[in-house]
């Protein structure tokens, strides 16, 4: 692991200058500061080994609301803080804007801001930084995203295979045989994982698994206008959705078409957002414990900082049975 | 969660009697003690919530040597102790004998011995307790084994998918196209996972993935006498093995057949046992950091005791490139 001396030697400047540049002192030129940061990244200099006092963790948030209790991200952020702050860390929440990623490389951004490690909520497969994370030496934990073969990175989430098994086994016990799946955009890692897990669960439970039993779209309007009618034509008696908000809209659309939930069709969501208890009927869903996800993310991060190379940390999901699932309707 | 009062009420005895029975006092009859234990299990009474002072964890070992440095289990047990004992726990190592499992149920055994949680090294799919673990409420962490849908149980191990990807990508970069796989008994969960991960890695890397490229057997003699010649007939130029000891024997057998390692055939093991540096040639293998596995198992266990429902905790493997792998031989 490189030291300040190594950066100084390479750039032929003094250690004091490197230190000032790393700490953003105003009397270091912008050109030199940039050269120091780039050399630091190139040599693998890591702030975590050198900084004294409280260390700062960066929590990146993209496309995800988190400021209000009830938002998907709120409990995760709170859980993460609850674990990190008593352990002596400072947590900064930073929006993961495309513009930021275009301006500066990930490693440089982390170094420049004295962040020792990052927790990513909602990185998408098209993000520019995703590629840079593959080679980064800065510890990073990603919710619902996986960077393979980088010992400084860890995937945290819920066990989606187990979740789909719980849902399909529940529907099978209620007599359902043809189960459909509606998913958000498959350009996200987590939607791909859930999509595959859905079909694996059908196979495991001995139910039909034709590819035509699933549909996905970036906009939920497309799911509703195109895929939902197609599933109903396929005579599905139950529909699982990749997210609660989608499940709620699907439930309303089914009801508008004159179908009773759950007498004619059963609906299952994913996440257990607070709204699930208040929909009509209340939504059966797969619960992710968001506070525990946040706490687990901090544990994974502190392990990576201690050079314990955790790759994956998954939580057990819980099937929350409410009133949107019931016995399969009698077959004609 | 049931209390001592609940057990006392159900059996119509005093709380003091229940307490004495749970603590194995000599003035409680064997019949009553058994009734108390069975009722405790039935009602979901958990010792972890009630016992004062140091808590005892049970580390079950089956078919696995661990007493000497160099044994597979040694560093795992040591890593586990290193994390558990400073945290105030007592660790007892218990051989997981078939006879024990036949005599007493898992939950009763744990209660009777005041163990608050268990760590299993080497449970096999045919063990009687495996089924009981599915419904047990006592926190249990299993190395290389998975109990689905039990929030009190967690699977700890290395990321086998990533491991197989690392090995296959390494061989592909060396020009190998036909890669074979030899595995221990597929009646163990971990061997099944590695077997499937091998074929997924071939597919991911665009290499041939005929089922005839793999062989498995309970006895390594069968692997050597039946599957190894079959793989060589299939013109494989590299062989991956599910465990280092198997890889070492395969390497010797190849050499006895006049094949040079790695000029004619490359060999890769799995685990990175200390012997890998001393074989001729030294064995390229996939490293599992056993000390970190032990420490991670304790972390998972303490999370389950704190009711954080961790399902899976995997570590990054590391490809240790030594001299048993080299460029693929020129094709005739």
């Amino acid at each position: 692991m490189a030291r300040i001396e190594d950066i100084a030697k390479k750039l032929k400047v003094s250690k004091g200058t490197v230190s000032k540049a790393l700490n953003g002192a105003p009397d270091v030129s912008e050109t030199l500061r940039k050269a120091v940061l780039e050399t630091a990244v190139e040599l693998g200099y890591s702030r975590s080994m050198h900084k004294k006092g409280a260390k700062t963790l960066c929590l990146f948030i993209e496309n995800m609301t988190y400021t209000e209790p009830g938002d998907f991200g709120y409990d995760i952020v709170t859980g993460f803080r609850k674990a990190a702050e008593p352990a002596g860390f400072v947590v900064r929440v930073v929006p993961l804007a495309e513009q930021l990623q275009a301006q500066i490389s990930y490693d440089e951004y982390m170094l420049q801001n004295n962040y020792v490690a990052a927790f990513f909520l909602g990185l998408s497969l098209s993000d520019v930084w995703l590629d840079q994370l593959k080679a980064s030496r800065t510890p990073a934990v990603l919710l619902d995203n996986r960077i393979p073969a980088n010992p400084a990175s860890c995937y945290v989430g819920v066990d989606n295979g187990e979740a789909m098994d719980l849902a399909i086994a529940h529907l099978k016990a209620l007599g359902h045989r043809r189960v459909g799946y509606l998913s958000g955009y498959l350009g996200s890692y987590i939607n791909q994982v859930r999509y595959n897990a859905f079909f694996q669960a059908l196979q495991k439970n001995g139910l039909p698994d034709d590819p035509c039993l699933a549909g996905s779209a970036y906009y939920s309007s497309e799911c509703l206008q195109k895929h939902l009618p197609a599933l109903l034509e396929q005579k599905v008696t139950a529909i699982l959705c990749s997210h609660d908000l989608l499940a709620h809209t699907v439930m309303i659309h089914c009801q508008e078409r004159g179908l009773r939930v759950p007498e004619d069709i059963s609906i299952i969501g994913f996440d257990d957002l607070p709204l699930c208890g208040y929909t009509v009927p209340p939504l059966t869903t797969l619960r992710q414990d968001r506070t525990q996800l946040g706490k687990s993310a901090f544990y994974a991060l502190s392990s990576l900082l201690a050079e314990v190379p955790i790759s994956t940390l998954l939580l057990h999901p819980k099937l929350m049975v409410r009133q949107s699932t019931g016995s399969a309707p009698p077959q004609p």
Side-chain angles (χ1 to χ4, degrees), chain A residues 115-156:
Chain A
Y115 297 139
V116 295
F119 175 31
F120 284 86
L121 284 180
L123 192 72
S124 86
L125 294 179
S126 60
D127 273 302
V128 174
W129 280 4
L130 189 68
D131 251 344
Q132 300 174 12
L133 277 163
K134 290 178 189 163
S136 171
R137 295 182 184 98
T138 309
V141 168
L142 296 92
L143 179 79
D144 287 345
N145 256 299
R146 196 168 166 268
I147 308 282
N150 180 347
S153 126
C154 179
Y155 156 38
V156 169

Side-chain angles (χ1 to χ4, degrees), chain A residues 3 17 33 40 55 67 101 107 116 139 151 154 168 204 215 298 332:
Chain A
R3 297 157 308 162
T17 304
R33 195 189 54 76
K55 289 172 176 165
T67 50
Q101 298 181 52
D107 273 327
V116 295
C154 179
I168 299 295
K204 202 169 154 184
F298 171 72

Side-chain angles (χ1 to χ4, degrees), chain A residues 36-54:
Chain A
V36 167
L37 285 176
E38 282 176 4
T39 309
V41 170
E42 185 188 320
L43 297 179
Y45 171 85
S46 161
R47 183 70 55 132
S48 64
M49 299 177 58
H50 305 277
K51 182 140 186 285
K52 284 173 197 132

Side-chain angles (χ1 to χ4, degrees), chain A residues 170 239-252 255 261-262 265-287 318-325:
Chain A
H170 169 63
I239 296 176
L240 226 138
C241 297
S242 63
H243 300 90
D244 284 337
L245 294 175
L246 181 58
H248 184 213
T249 335
V250 165
M251 190 154 74
I252 291 171
Q255 290 164 334
V261 179
I265 190 150
S266 288
I267 309 280
I268 300 186
F270 205 114
D271 286 342
D272 198 26
L273 292 183
L275 72 90
C276 296
Y278 305 101
T279 57
V280 181
L283 190 65
T284 295
T285 189
L286 291 152
R287 179 170 173 74
K318 195 172 171 186
L319 180 71
M320 308 298 291
V321 178
R322 298 201 179 90
Q323 284 83 56
S324 68
T325 45

Side-chain angles (χ1 to χ4, degrees), chain A residues 191-317:
Chain A
N191 284 343
Q192 292 174 3
V193 169
R194 286 189 191 154
Y195 191 93
N196 294 330
F198 168 74
F199 282 105
Q200 279 164 17
L202 289 180
Q203 287 155 17
K204 202 169 154 184
N205 284 279
L207 298 185
D209 64 340
D210 322 86
C212 66
L213 289 172
S216 74
Y218 188 86
Y219 295 106
S220 51
S221 56
E222 193 183 331
C223 264
L224 298 169
Q225 285 157 22
K226 188 176 144 195
H227 300 304
L228 175 58
L231 288 187
L232 295 175
E233 255 175 53
Q234 289 289 327
K235 310 274 180 223
V236 302
T237 58
I239 296 176
L240 226 138
C241 297
S242 63
H243 300 90
D244 284 337
L245 294 175
L246 181 58
H248 184 213
T249 335
V250 165
M251 190 154 74
I252 291 171
H253 271 247
C254 286
Q255 290 164 334
E256 284 174 358
R257 286 168 162 264
L259 294 168
R260 294 164 303 161
V261 179
E263 292 82 356
D264 300 319
I265 190 150
S266 288
I267 309 280
I268 300 186
F270 205 114
D271 286 342
D272 198 26
L273 292 183
L275 72 90
C276 296
Y278 305 101
T279 57
V280 181
L283 190 65
T284 295
T285 189
L286 291 152
R287 179 170 173 74
Q288 311 199 50
D289 187 323
R290 293 180 293 279
T291 303
Q292 299 297 5
L293 277 176
K295 287 187 179 175
S296 299
F298 171 72
Y299 167 72
L301 213 45
S302 59
S303 294
L304 293 179
L305 283 166
E307 300 192 2
V308 179
I310 296 191
S311 130
T312 306
L313 200 169
L314 304 181
L315 294 187
H316 287 284

